[in-house]
Amino acid sequence: MNWRHWSVLVEAPHPLSSSIMSAVMITRKVRKWEKLPGKNTFCCDGRVMMARQKGVFYLTLFLIVGTCSLFFAFECPYLAVHLSPAIPVFAVVLFLFVMAMLLRTSFSDPGVLPRALPDEATFIEMEIEAANGNVPPGQRAPPRIRNVQINNQIVKLKYCYTCKIFRPPRASHCSICDNCVDRFDHHCPWVGNCVGKRNYRYFYLFTLSLSLLTVYIFTFDIVHVAMRSVVSGFLNTLKDTPGTVIELLVCFFTLWSVVGLTGFHTYLISLNQTTNEDIKGSWSGKNRVQNPYSHKNIIKNCCEVLCGPTYPSVLDRRGLMQDDLSALPSINNDSAPQTTKTTAPLIPNEHAPDEAKASAGSAAEKSHSPKEELPPTAKLPPLASPETDAETSIAKDKPH
Amino acid sequence: MAETHSLQDMRQQATISSKVFIQRDYTRGTMCQFQTKLPAELEARIDKQQFEETVRTLNNLYAEAEKLGSQSFIEGCLACLTAYTVFLCMETHYEKVLKKIAKFIEEQNDKIYAPRGLLLTDPIKRGLRVIEVTIYEDPSLTR
């Protein structure tokens, strides 16, 4: 045995040691959200799903909570006594509704379409090649488009190169979140998430209720200032309640933007259009292609968008990874599972049968090799966000 | 690919020959409907009528889930009034129908498709994009 042979033996992962390592590592269940592609952040073990940039969302929260706190602190005591106690009560109800709608919009899955698994992607590629025929070398392949007829209109379905699917009608790929979203409306930085099929009605109710709240606070600010000025004079009033000035400023600027946005979305809903379609001019302008999704009746359109069924998320964020064996890249193929089972006595073997988790766990943990020596109860680095996950998944390819 | 060691559990140990994907049918809009046409790869394995019946039943179930009727309207209004907190304790109508669909597919697999060496995958596991039909080798060896 020469030196070179020995060094190869040392460097190459020994099947037994890697299976022991994988057996040690599978004390932790991996949920599907940890392995999802795309640039989303997940919280609460996959229950909450948002975009990566959340700065503007925090600003939205701050403005709403801050302005309402000022209202409750400065205006409400005076108005409750001098006008009616119903005023702050209604303000609280409205505030809670606004917050519920905002959080619901921000935290829910907008309707993300999962990417095609390798088998499906290959199948579609074969279909495309069959449809296109032989492309002579030097010529560009024709664009990947499928034509479907919806309500007597021809709608083109585009192929998404990232997700490897033909996008359903009205779906679009969000470059910020790197996902295809069904009935994609727009990516809203103010809510820190995409607005799509599943959360559009919450988004609309958020803008509507926020408009009402803004108008409400603005109106009662003015009423309060007017009532107090009669008694103490205008400048003294402003000195007594400095919060009023801030509230009036915030509400004034919010009014123009949010009320305008609500009006715009009301118009879109009545026509059953998305912001994306409106910006691209899909149903207006040249060719006079009519919107095939509209019921040609405002009430029906509104009912469909606002009172339609609550679509479930197709992402299955909280499912456990063991379900989809065919989806995982098989690093330790068939030999590893058997050796994992035979070396089970080294560790508590309640998690031993899961070879898929073992291969995923060992792959992710190869970049943290110093921790192999620790006992099974060692705390594994939490895969909290897809950023760390991307790094580990890139790292797993390198040792080989 | 795994070798066929035993025939007790076909799904885990039989050889996968190929997969066919039944695409969505968009002619009636964005409703979840699948194409009923029997793909060429399955012609040898299953009867056309049987397959069309399965897909048609699936389509009807999805149409029931997405129906814009009084039930969805009442559910929507109630949910809105409670700021959608009611869904913390109640299942949506769509989710109830999805459970029905999962049961239906399992039943179809057990009765009709497994004996022919085929396996239908619930479309919800593929993002409601396709019905994945897995074709296994050696149908005569399965139960």
Side-chain angles (χ1 to χ4, degrees):
Chain A
M1 201 193 302
N2 59 22
W3 170 249
R4 212 165 147 197
H5 189 209
W6 174 247
S7 64
V8 165
L9 273 181
V10 167
E11 278 169 320
H14 193 277
L16 189 62
S17 67
S18 68
S19 62
I20 292 173
M21 185 171 69
S22 49
V24 166
M25 293 304 154
I26 45 169
T27 50
R28 185 178 157 275
K29 289 180 198 171
V30 178
R31 292 206 188 257
K32 286 186 182 170
W33 63 264
E34 299 178 55
K35 301 288 178 190
L36 279 178
K39 297 182 193 159
N40 288 101
T41 327
F42 297 89
C43 309
C44 298
D45 200 20
R47 290 183 182 91
V48 165
M49 181 173 170
M50 291 181 75
R52 263 189 205 172
Q53 295 101 335
K54 297 185 273 290
V56 189
F57 168 67
Y58 293 137
L59 176 67
T60 310
L61 272 179
F62 174 74
L63 283 174
I64 297 175
V65 173
T67 312
C68 289
S69 312
L70 289 175
F71 182 71
F72 293 132
F74 289 102
E75 269 77 24
C76 284
Y78 186 89
L79 290 170
V81 168
H82 288 84
L83 267 187
S84 162
I87 294 173
V89 169
F90 189 69
V92 169
V93 169
L94 202 48
F95 167 71
L96 289 174
F97 189 77
V98 167
M99 289 306 293
M101 289 300 105
L102 171 64
L103 295 178
R104 185 91 197 200
T105 310
S106 304
F107 293 167
S108 56
D109 172 9
V112 172
L113 296 168
R115 297 189 185 184
L117 296 172
D119 291 322
E120 194 186 331
T122 320
F123 184 82
I124 296 178
E125 295 263 345
M126 282 183 354
E127 267 192 354
I128 294 171
E129 266 162 44
N132 286 343
N134 287 324
V135 180
Q139 253 188 39
R140 229 169 18 146
R144 298 178 170 191
I145 290 188
R146 230 180 228 174
N147 288 324
V148 291
Q149 197 181 49
I150 301 177
N151 287 336
N152 299 322
Q153 303 276 340
I154 301 287
V155 174
K156 292 187 192 292
L157 302 185
K158 285 195 190 155
Y159 181 76
C160 181
Y161 285 90
T162 315
C163 305
K164 298 206 178 4
I165 55 170
F166 274 99
R167 280 183 216 131
R170 313 195 93 175
S172 190
H173 191 94
C174 176
S175 48
I176 301 172
C177 302
D178 203 21
N179 289 317
C180 270
V181 179
D182 206 356
R183 203 189 184 278
F184 180 71
D185 195 84
H186 66 286
H187 181 97
C188 186
W190 297 96
V191 303
N193 204 357
C194 286
V195 178
K197 182 166 83 170
R198 292 192 71 240
N199 63 355
Y200 184 63
R201 76 189 67 178
Y202 310 130
F203 174 76
Y204 178 72
L205 289 173
F206 166 63
T207 55
L208 184 63
S209 54
L210 186 61
S211 307
L212 287 173
L213 184 65
T214 312
V215 169
Y216 191 83
I217 292 182
F218 194 71
T219 312
F220 281 105
D221 272 357
I222 294 179
V223 165
H224 167 256
V225 169
M227 284 176 72
R228 249 192 166 150
S229 302
V230 166
V231 174
S232 2
F234 183 66
L235 283 174
N236 283 335
T237 308
L238 293 182
K239 256 193 278 177
D240 287 336
T241 53
T244 312
V245 183
I246 304 173
E247 286 169 55
L248 282 169
L249 273 173
V250 173
C251 287
F252 184 75
F253 288 111
T254 311
L255 258 179
W256 292 111
S257 48
V258 176
V259 170
L261 191 65
T262 310
F264 175 62
H265 279 283
T266 312
Y267 162 75
L268 286 181
I269 288 176
S270 64
L271 292 178
N272 202 337
Q273 271 191 30
T274 64
T275 309
N276 197 37
E277 286 162 359
D278 188 72
I279 287 176
K280 286 187 184 164
S282 309
W283 315 125
S284 60
K286 58 179 175 172
N287 301 332
R288 290 286 171 228
V289 181
Q290 301 254 306
N291 183 356
Y293 314 108
S294 169
H295 297 278
K296 308 280 187 261
N297 178 336
I298 291 182
I299 308 238
K300 267 198 187 166
N301 284 338
C302 291
C303 278
E304 186 193 311
V305 177
L306 297 175
C307 311
T310 338
Y311 298 96
S313 171
V314 297
L315 269 189
D316 191 22
R317 288 158 279 162
R318 294 188 34 105
L320 295 171
M321 275 305 287
Q322 65 209 60
D323 292 333
D324 234 349
L325 291 173
S326 56
L328 291 171
S330 45
I331 300 160
N332 301 324
N333 213 327
D334 295 301
S335 50
Q338 280 78 17
T339 51
T340 308
K341 289 188 172 99
T342 54
T343 56
L346 290 172
I347 49 139
N349 56 1
E350 58 266 20
H351 302 290
D354 197 356
E355 51 265 27
K357 279 191 299 204
S359 56
S362 63
E365 295 314 312
K366 276 205 162 60
S367 53
H368 304 276
S369 40
K371 293 196 178 172
E372 285 170 39
E373 316 304 294
L374 294 171
T377 50
K379 225 170 167 239
L380 297 166
L383 297 172
S385 78
E387 284 125 4
T388 53
D389 203 51
E391 288 155 30
T392 52
S393 61
I394 293 165
K396 86 183 175 201
D397 290 319
K398 284 186 182 155
H400 302 278
Chain B
M1 276 197 218
E3 291 298 312
T4 309
H5 296 297
S6 84
L7 300 167
Q8 280 156 6
D9 197 349
M10 181 193 81
R11 290 170 201 192
Q12 278 182 8
Q13 294 174 328
T15 317
I16 296 175
S17 158
S18 64
K19 290 187 184 182
V20 188
F21 297 88
I22 314 295
Q23 303 290 329
R24 282 270 294 268
D25 175 18
Y26 293 114
T27 51
R28 289 203 278 166
T30 48
M31 266 173 52
C32 185
Q33 301 277 284
F34 291 95
Q35 291 177 359
T36 50
K37 184 171 163 300
L38 181 71
E41 294 92 331
L42 296 179
E43 269 167 18
R45 295 286 186 107
I46 190 153
D47 182 32
K48 184 169 164 215
Q49 293 283 60
Q50 188 67 65
F51 180 77
E52 277 182 20
E53 183 60 39
T54 308
V55 183
R56 219 169 270 142
T57 315
L58 271 179
N59 284 343
N60 288 337
L61 284 168
Y62 282 115
E64 186 198 321
E66 296 188 6
K67 197 170 64 160
L68 299 175
S70 51
Q71 192 186 357
S72 76
F73 183 75
I74 293 171
E75 192 184 69
C77 286
L78 175 71
C80 181
L81 288 173
T82 60
Y84 295 94
T85 51
V86 74
F87 290 139
L88 293 169
C89 33
M90 196 181 90
E91 221 178 31
T92 68
H93 172 64
Y94 208 115
E95 283 166 357
K96 287 190 194 130
V97 180
L98 283 180
K99 282 197 177 153
K100 247 205 266 182
I101 291 173
K103 248 201 278 180
F104 170 73
I105 290 185
E106 205 184 304
E107 179 207 346
Q108 290 280 296
N109 273 332
D110 284 337
K111 279 203 221 142
I112 300 169
Y113 291 89
R116 290 172 171 80
L118 300 172
L119 184 70
L120 295 180
T121 306
D122 194 340
I124 195 80
K125 296 192 179 138
R126 299 289 177 262
L128 290 180
R129 281 195 319 267
V130 288
I131 305 176
E132 184 180 300
V133 184
T134 314
I135 306 173
Y136 290 95
E137 277 183 8
D138 298 327
S140 51
L141 292 176
T142 60
R143 62 175 175 91

